[in-house]
Amino acid sequence: MSDIIKLTTPLSEEVVASLKSGDQVRISGELYTARDAAHKRLVDLLDQGKPLPFDIKGAVIYYVGPSPAKPGRVVGSAGPTTSYRMDAYAERLMEVGMKGMIGKGKRAPDVVEAMMKHKAVYFAAIGGAAALIARSIKSVEVVAYEDLGPEAVRRMVVEDFQAVVINDIQGADLYQMGQEKYRIA
Amino acid sequence: MREIDVSQITEAVARMSQSANTDLGQDVIQAFERGLRTEESDTGKAIFKALIQNAMIARDEKVPMCQDTGFAVVFVELGQDAHLVGGSLEAAINEGVRLGYEEGYLRKSICDPFTRANTRDNTPAVVITEIVDGDKIKLTMAPKGGGSENMARVTMLTPSGGKKAVMDFIVQRCQEAGSNPCPPVIVGAAVGGTPEKAAILAKKSLLRPVGAPSPDPELAQMEQELLTRINNLGMGPQGLGGRNYALAVHLEKHPCHIATLPLAVQICCHASRHKEITL
Ligand code: SF4
């Protein structure tokens, strides 16, 4: 396993190109949160030729719907949700400059291809380690779709957010590589 | 005839909504520790450590171990000599869920299937009631997240397929589920009954202490064989490669129709949450 790579958002194309499946990363800077319902609205905006509610250039989108923050805290528990539900929308966002996605679980082959084409990467965070992950989230503010509750789009400032590169721009897939290494036929 | 006021049920459900989500069972934590000892992959080991740490933070700070605080599934075993007073059972349970999820800062994740409009208080609960002997009521609160629920399947196999078809289907289901249900997982499965019976039995099997074998030696042996086959797939913790994809397989069986071989598989993520109380 390689050393830990520190990343700061927004991600540049050069940084994205340097990442390899299996790289352990710590992300600092801003992340934007969105789940299925928010993705649908974002893509609807693009379809209508309207601007998105945040700057998508180089952005990393975190697939998460946090639990409510207790008083005195910035966020509740906040682990990744399953990514395949966003597969239908991912390429549209890559087309306009999204460079990273954080979630859990395999992506569809066309999403992996889109990552190669548009130079974007897919990271996984530890699914279910939500109380631990919340510690790396320093501030949260709703930027759009407050009516969606946990599914609203939020801007999160994170510090050393722990993730691993699943799909790089070469089309490699850590889930496949990992399983092949430990499979007993 | 013993009287039980439903307000006690509301209170118990509210309390368990919170404790189930913040206080992971010792059996699950021990299974993580076993996993940490047996895991060969460094990434896998790091994941077990993170999960143990996560469970401690959740317990000590009384925050949910996972942001998906689940659909509130409540198993009720109602003694036939108990008499509930003060209101209806379902309404009392739903009120408990509403209170528990609000007061516990738990996520409200229940919505209309078509409009997707959120009910905003995590109700209604799914209530599975059984009438049993005695004059008590046992409530088991088992919140379950959407990521692992999406991996459940019910299938009607051909009886000629027998054990082999059953085991192949379960192993294949895990392979297809991959990292989606947040492995390490507990695989619950039930063979027989009707499709709905099998689904409930499989869900209920997840309430066993992790890895407690079936009392039926034949099923217990199948559980071991399945666990080995599933873990030999090599998917490991979080599906990133390793020895421990599943912590346990829990298998149940029920007589079925001469023409059928129903099978239900319910995969539970490592956030295997359930609390019970008897009133
Ligand atoms: S599958 Fe379980 S651990 Fe994973 S996000 Fe859902 S509820 Fe949490």
Side-chain angles (χ1 to χ4, degrees), chain B residues 66-185:
Chain B
C66 183
Q67 78 289 339
D68 185 349
T69 50
F71 208 132
V73 180
V74 182
F75 293 93
V76 179
E77 288 177 25
L78 179 61
Q80 60 186 10
D81 297 322
H83 180 214
L84 301 181
V85 295
S88 92
L89 172 64
E90 291 246 351
I93 290 174
N94 283 328
E95 182 61 9
V97 168
R98 196 183 66 72
L99 287 172
Y101 274 70
E102 192 52 41
E103 289 167 359
Y105 295 90
L106 305 179
R107 202 180 78 184
K108 289 80 181 171
S109 312
I110 307 307
C111 71
D112 181 276
F114 293 129
T115 66
R116 312 304 292 178
N118 198 300
T119 66
R120 299 200 162 261
D121 60 6
N122 219 53
T123 67
V126 165
V127 182
I128 299 167
T129 309
E130 230 180 295
I131 307 293
V132 299
D133 286 342
D135 61 3
K136 296 196 164 53
I137 182 168
K138 180 175 163 192
L139 301 163
T140 306
M141 161 63 107
K144 196 157 178 296
S148 68
E149 288 287 74
N150 277 336
M151 298 300 109
R153 292 292 185 274
V154 175
T155 183
M156 302 302 280
L157 299 169
T158 308
S160 62
K163 267 191 194 174
K164 181 176 183 307
V166 166
M167 308 237 290
D168 288 351
F169 187 90
I170 297 170
V171 174
Q172 186 56 26
R173 181 82 291 264
C174 291
Q175 173 64 61
E176 285 162 12
S179 52
N180 294 337
C182 291
V185 299

